[in-house]
Amino acid sequence: MSAVPQPENEVDPTLEADVFSRNCSSREILQNVTSRWGLLALVALLDGELRFNALRRRVDGVSERMLSVTLQSLERDGYVHREMLQAIPPRVEYSLTDMGRAVAPQLRGLIDLVEGQVPAVSEARGEYDAR
Amino acid sequence: MSAVPQPENEVDPTLEADVFSRNCSSREILQNVTSRWGLLALVALLDGELRFNALRRRVDGVSERMLSVTLQSLERDGYVHREMLQAIPPRVEYSLTDMGRAVAPQLRGLIDLVEGQVPAVSEARGEYDAR
C-alpha cells in the first residue's frame, strides 16, 4: 500500500500491500489476526464451529467482553462467520470463513513452533538476566 | 504448561506447552514475536543483519524508544542477537539467532498471506458496515 495516508477501508488496487509501510491497511489486519485473543480464537475454530461459551472456555482467560470485541472484529474483517441458530434459547455459533481457514493453519504453525521453543526461551532469559 | 501459576521464567519440563492455557509461558513469548513491532523487526532481519537506524527505517513508523524496547525483549527471549562493533563511532548490529531464523519465515508467510487478503478484507468490511 502507498505511504500516502488513505481513508480507512479504501484500498488502491493498483498498489501492492506492504506491511512495512506505515499506512498500509495490511498492518492493521495483521494486528487483528495476531492479537492476543484473535490468534487463539482463530486457531480454536480450526477444529470446527463453536458456540460463544465453548470458545470462551477454550481460550482460557479471555473475558466475555474481550472475546466479543475480538470476534466482532474478526467477523468484520471476513475471517469468522457468526450464525444465529433458531432455537430456544437462541444460540450463536462461530466458524471460520474460507479466509479464516487460509490464515488459521499459518497461526497454528506459529503456535507449534513457539510452544516447542519454550525451554530454549526460558534458558535464554536466564542467561540474559544473569548478565 | 500447567494451569497452576508458576514463578516467571520457570518451566516444568514434565509439562507440554499449551498456549490455550492461561498460565503457559508460551503465550507471553507468542505475544513478543507477534507484537506490532516485534513481528516486523524479526521479518526485516530475515534479509540479514541491520544496524539500529537501518532497522528503524525499514520498520516504518516505529519510534526509537519502541524499537529499542522491542529489540531488548526479542534479545532476552533469544530471538535476536545484538552485537557491539568496535568502531568509531561505535556501532550496534542486530541479527537473528537460530531460534529467530526458525520463527521469522513463519511470520513472513503470515505477512504474505495477509497482504494478499487486503482486497478481500476491505470488501468484507464494506459489507459488514453496510448491514
Side-chain angles (χ1 to χ4, degrees), chain A residues 9 19-20 22 27 31 36 60 72 75-77 79 106 115 117 122 125 128-129 131, chain B residues 9 19-20 22 27 31 36 60 72 75-77 79 106 115 117 122 125 128-129 131:
Chain A
N9 299 338
V19 84
F20 282 99
R22 78 174 79 185
R27 216 182 244 193
Q31 256 153 68
R36 184 184 187 90
D60 184 27
Q72 204 176 336
E75 188 194 359
R76 179 170 181 262
D77 284 2
Y79 290 104
Q106 190 75 24
E115 284 179 346
Q117 289 174 331
S122 179
R125 287 181 180 177
Y128 184 95
D129 294 345
R131 278 192 210 165
Chain B
N9 299 339
V19 83
F20 282 99
R22 77 174 81 186
R27 217 182 243 194
Q31 254 153 70
R36 185 186 187 89
D60 184 28
Q72 205 176 337
E75 187 193 359
R76 179 169 181 262
D77 284 3
Y79 290 104
Q106 191 76 23
E115 284 180 345
Q117 289 173 332
S122 179
R125 288 182 179 176
Y128 185 94
D129 294 345
R131 278 192 210 163

Side-chain angles (χ1 to χ4, degrees), chain B residues 70-128:
Chain B
T70 298
L71 288 169
Q72 205 176 337
S73 128
L74 291 174
E75 187 193 359
R76 179 169 181 262
D77 284 3
Y79 290 104
V80 160
H81 176 68
R82 182 179 186 274
E83 179 89 29
M84 261 288 214
L85 301 173
Q86 300 298 331
I88 301 169
R91 299 192 324 220
V92 181
E93 249 178 27
Y94 293 90
S95 57
L96 295 179
T97 61
D98 286 348
M99 236 165 64
R101 270 187 294 273
V103 88
Q106 191 76 23
L107 298 171
R108 174 78 257 178
L110 180 65
I111 286 178
D112 291 344
L113 245 174
V114 168
E115 284 180 345
Q117 289 173 332
V118 168
V121 170
S122 179
E123 201 182 308
R125 288 182 179 176
E127 281 170 23
Y128 185 94

Side-chain angles (χ1 to χ4, degrees), chain A residues 64-91:
Chain A
E64 210 173 301
R65 155 111 186 117
M66 277 314 297
L67 183 57
S68 170
V69 165
T70 298
L71 288 169
Q72 204 176 336
S73 128
L74 291 174
E75 188 194 359
R76 179 170 181 262
D77 284 2
Y79 290 104
V80 160
H81 177 67
R82 181 179 186 274
E83 181 89 29
M84 261 288 215
L85 300 173
Q86 300 298 331
I88 300 170
R91 299 193 323 222

Side-chain angles (χ1 to χ4, degrees), chain A residues 42 45-46 78-79 95-106, chain B residues 117:
Chain A
L42 286 168
L45 291 171
L46 256 182
Y79 290 104
S95 57
L96 295 179
T97 60
D98 287 347
M99 235 163 66
R101 270 189 294 272
V103 88
Q106 190 75 24
Chain B
Q117 289 173 332

